[in-house]
């Protein structure tokens, strides 16, 4: 049986020429802040794949971290890394299934007119369905002993036709708890807790709770210069508790937050 050219290859001299030889590169994502270059590849049989390669040492460290994360955490909402292969420069590339959808991240000038605004205009039950998948995925993250780092709306890929949320680029997630040895963690200040900016602070599941609370606030708000909360008062209270500045005043675990949220929804 012929080996699968993406799931069984062990090494290639140059990634993009190889991908073009085994399929059609229908999308390319270059000039990424992460230092990675990514490709959407369509095989002759119609299979579509997402291939992400490291082009810098920092990007390689991130891919290594992500590889360990995806070996430990599996959930239907998390787009997993299935395979990796060596590239000619001594780095690696990873292969993931392609997922249809639109990133909910938009630069600030476009935030009120892009996919996020479209998502925020969906009927509330569809938004709540997406939030439930987000929380459920992070139950799996927590159960595996990992904490969320660099979770923001760029990790949210939403399929408007299927009504499903996919989580991508969770490359900075890492085992926790741990003590921050740098001046800050990577991430968007819109989602980060105060402890992520303090060298010597403890990063644990309460940090994940904070990021999830920020996500809930974003997803259940309306778009516009003055967002309006679309959920209930009880749900707003839960989101506010999740994002308190002091970690000790938040929900202590994702499981606790999720149980309270589901009780408030149902």
């Amino acid at each position: 049986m012929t080996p699968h050219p993406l799931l069984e290859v062990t090494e290639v001299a140059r990634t993009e020429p190889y991908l073009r030889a085994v399929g059609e590169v229908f999308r390319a994502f270059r000039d990424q802040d992460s230092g990675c270059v990514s490709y959407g590849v369509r095989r002759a049989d119609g299979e579509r794949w997402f291939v992400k390669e490291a082009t810098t040492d920092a990007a390689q460290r991130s891919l290594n971290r992500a590889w360990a994360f995806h070996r430990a955490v599996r959930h239907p909402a998390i787009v997993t890394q299935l395979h990796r292969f060596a590239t000619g420069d001594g780095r690696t590339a990873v292969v993931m299934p392609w997922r249809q959808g639109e990133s909910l991240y938009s630069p600030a000038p476009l935030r009120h007119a892009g996919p996020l605004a479209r998502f925020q205009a969906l009927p509330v039950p569809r938004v709540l369905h997406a939030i439930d998948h987000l929380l459920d995925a992070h139950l799996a993250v927590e159960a595996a002993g990992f904490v969320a780092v660099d979770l923001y709306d760029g990790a949210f890929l939403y399929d408007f036709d299927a009504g499903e949320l996919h989580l991508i680029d969770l490359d900075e997630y890492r085992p926790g708890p741990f003590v921050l040895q740098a001046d800050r963690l990577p991430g968007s200040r819109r989602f980060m807790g105060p402890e992520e900016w303090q060298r010597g602070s403890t990063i644990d599941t309460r940090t994940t709770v904070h990021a999830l609370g920020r996500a809930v606030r974003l997803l259940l708000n309306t778009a516009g210069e003055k967002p309006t909360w679309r959920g209930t008062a009880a749900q707003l209270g839960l989101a506010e508790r999740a994002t308190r500045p002091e970690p000790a005043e938040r929900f202590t675990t994702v499981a606790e937050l999720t149980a309270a949220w589901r009780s408030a929804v149902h």
Side-chain angles (χ1 to χ4, degrees), residues 135-232:
L135 295 175
D136 200 66
H138 283 84
L139 289 176
V141 171
E142 181 173 79
F146 281 74
V147 296
V149 177
D150 194 21
L151 175 66
Y152 75 117
D153 40 359
F156 304 155
L157 187 73
Y158 191 72
D159 185 336
F160 284 92
D161 293 329
E164 293 296 338
L165 179 75
H166 306 292
L167 301 179
I168 60 173
D169 291 339
L170 307 183
D171 297 357
E172 293 297 328
Y173 281 36
R174 53 195 75 180
F178 64 91
V179 174
L180 180 57
Q181 301 293 341
D183 291 334
R184 60 161 290 181
L185 282 169
S188 165
R189 65 177 62 246
R190 292 178 295 121
F191 285 74
M192 295 170 69
E195 67 273 21
E196 297 183 77
W197 299 83
Q198 299 172 5
R199 181 187 291 267
S201 64
T202 298
I203 307 298
D204 59 19
T205 191
R206 294 169 301 179
T207 308
T208 305
V209 164
H210 185 280
L212 292 172
R214 290 288 193 188
V216 167
R217 289 293 298 268
L218 178 73
L219 298 178
L220 257 179
N221 272 338
T222 60
E225 294 296 331
K226 295 182 179 180
T228 301
W229 178 250
R230 301 176 71 205
T232 66

Side-chain angles (χ1 to χ4, degrees), residues 39-266:
Y39 309 92
V41 182
R42 182 185 291 109
R43 297 271 293 132
D45 60 4
E47 282 185 342
R48 293 191 296 175
W49 301 92
F50 185 81
V51 179
K52 184 176 186 179
E53 70 166 325
T55 63
T56 66
D57 291 343
Q60 185 61 58
R61 288 191 294 271
S62 183
L63 276 193
N64 289 342
R65 184 179 294 116
W67 183 254
F69 169 77
H70 286 289
R71 306 282 67 72
V73 181
R74 296 294 176 98
H75 187 275
I78 297 175
V79 183
T80 191
Q81 295 181 0
L82 297 174
H83 180 67
R84 67 175 174 175
F85 56 86
T87 59
D89 54 10
R91 300 190 178 105
T92 64
V94 295
V95 183
M96 292 164 272
W98 178 269
R99 291 289 184 261
Q100 190 65 32
E102 297 182 54
S103 170
L104 296 189
Y105 171 75
S106 299
L110 304 176
R111 201 161 288 153
H112 306 309
L116 176 59
R118 181 182 173 195
F119 178 89
Q120 291 171 319
L122 291 173
V124 168
R126 288 188 61 178
V127 175
L128 293 175
H129 176 75
I131 290 174
D132 191 73
H133 276 241
L134 173 65
L135 295 175
D136 200 66
H138 283 84
L139 289 176
V141 171
E142 181 173 79
F146 281 74
V147 296
V149 177
D150 194 21
L151 175 66
Y152 75 117
D153 40 359
F156 304 155
L157 187 73
Y158 191 72
D159 185 336
F160 284 92
D161 293 329
E164 293 296 338
L165 179 75
H166 306 292
L167 301 179
I168 60 173
D169 291 339
L170 307 183
D171 297 357
E172 293 297 328
Y173 281 36
R174 53 195 75 180
F178 64 91
V179 174
L180 180 57
Q181 301 293 341
D183 291 334
R184 60 161 290 181
L185 282 169
S188 165
R189 65 177 62 246
R190 292 178 295 121
F191 285 74
M192 295 170 69
E195 67 273 21
E196 297 183 77
W197 299 83
Q198 299 172 5
R199 181 187 291 267
S201 64
T202 298
I203 307 298
D204 59 19
T205 191
R206 294 169 301 179
T207 308
T208 305
V209 164
H210 185 280
L212 292 172
R214 290 288 193 188
V216 167
R217 289 293 298 268
L218 178 73
L219 298 178
L220 257 179
N221 272 338
T222 60
E225 294 296 331
K226 295 182 179 180
T228 301
W229 178 250
R230 301 176 71 205
T232 66
Q235 292 163 358
L236 179 59
L238 298 178
E240 289 176 341
R241 179 180 170 186
T243 54
R244 288 174 181 168
E246 288 295 329
E249 297 179 359
R250 302 172 195 157
F251 294 98
T252 57
T253 64
V254 174
E256 184 184 6
L257 166 62
T258 302
W261 181 263
R262 286 175 173 170
S263 178
V265 169
H266 303 294

Side-chain angles (χ1 to χ4, degrees), residues 1-11 18 83-85 95:
M1 188 173 181
T2 304
H4 194 288
L6 293 178
L7 298 180
E8 297 180 72
V9 61
T10 58
E11 185 174 1
Y18 177 79
H83 180 67
R84 67 175 174 175
F85 56 86
V95 183

